[in-house]
């Protein structure tokens, strides 16, 4: 996991955007897992179809994102409540490629730039780690996320690695150079 002081919030604070960005900590595990489950249920992303909600590590993500070449950031409201989060990890067998992972937002944080802020944080940190490309898998069931990724410049590509998220039918890639 990234442990540099600038990774605490590499993007300058923007008072017009909701929340305070911080690295994922163990105290975030339960609320983050609950958020991922709630958003997944809202959009019909069920565990039986291989979406992130089925990941066996969902309740201990702070451990998962401590690995080399990985990181996860959360947005908290003024009282410490979780608004959302997004992470990155290496794509196995694909040198120089990271994956934007588990980007989820509470309904109250959508439509205000929070998703863009999280995605840009992940891409900026990926560049600092030396990644050349950012890959992701999404689904047409998440039209707001798909629109955001396209606005950020992600383009269709071939499926990479073995993420296990087989029903995420839309693989996208963004050059980070």
């Amino acid at each position: 996991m990234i442990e540099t002081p600038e990774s605490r919030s590499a993007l300058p604070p923007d008072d017009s955007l909701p929340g305070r960005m911080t690295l994922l900590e163990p105290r975030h595990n339960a609320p983050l897992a609950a958020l991922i489950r709630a958003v997944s249920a809202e959009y019909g992303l069920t565990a039986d179809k291989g979406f992130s909600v089925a990941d066996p590590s969902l309740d201990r993500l702070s451990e998962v994102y401590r690995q080399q070449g990985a990181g996860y950031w959360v947005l908290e409201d003024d009282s410490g409540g979780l608004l959302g989060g997004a992470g990155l990890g290496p794509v196995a067998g694909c040198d120089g490629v990271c994956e934007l992972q588990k980007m989820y937002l509470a309904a109250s944080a959508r439509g205000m730039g929070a998703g863009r802020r999280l995605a840009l944080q992940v891409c900026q940190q990926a560049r600092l780690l030396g990644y050349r490309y950012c890959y992701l898998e999404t689904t047409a069931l998440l039209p707001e996320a798909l629109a955001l990724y396209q606005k950020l410049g992600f383009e269709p590509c071939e499926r990479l690695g073995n993420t296990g998220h087989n029903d995420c039918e839309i693989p996208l890639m963004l050059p980070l150079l």
Side-chain angles (χ1 to χ4, degrees), residues 54-159:
D55 287 356
S57 61
L58 195 59
D59 292 302
R60 53 181 185 78
L61 290 177
S62 67
E63 296 171 28
V64 172
Y65 287 99
R66 286 197 177 280
Q67 298 174 33
Q68 184 70 24
Y72 197 98
W73 296 266
V74 295
L75 284 175
E76 297 177 313
D77 63 20
D78 292 336
S79 62
L82 202 63
L83 296 172
L88 70 87
V91 176
C94 297
D95 222 20
V97 181
C98 72
E99 181 183 13
L100 173 64
Q101 300 173 339
K102 293 179 178 51
M103 189 163 111
Y104 289 87
L105 289 170
S108 63
R110 295 182 205 146
M112 298 183 289
R116 183 178 195 283
R117 184 177 175 199
L118 281 164
L120 290 174
Q121 174 76 9
V122 166
C123 290
Q124 181 175 16
Q125 292 301 316
R127 281 184 198 94
L128 292 174
L129 286 170
Y131 288 110
R132 296 184 315 271
Y133 297 92
C134 186
Y135 171 79
L136 66 84
E137 294 174 354
T138 191
T139 175
L141 298 172
L142 299 171
E144 301 93 342
L146 183 56
L148 170 64
Y149 300 141
Q150 290 169 336
K151 283 181 189 173
L152 291 173
F154 282 86
E155 295 184 359
C157 68
E158 292 184 30
R159 184 176 294 275

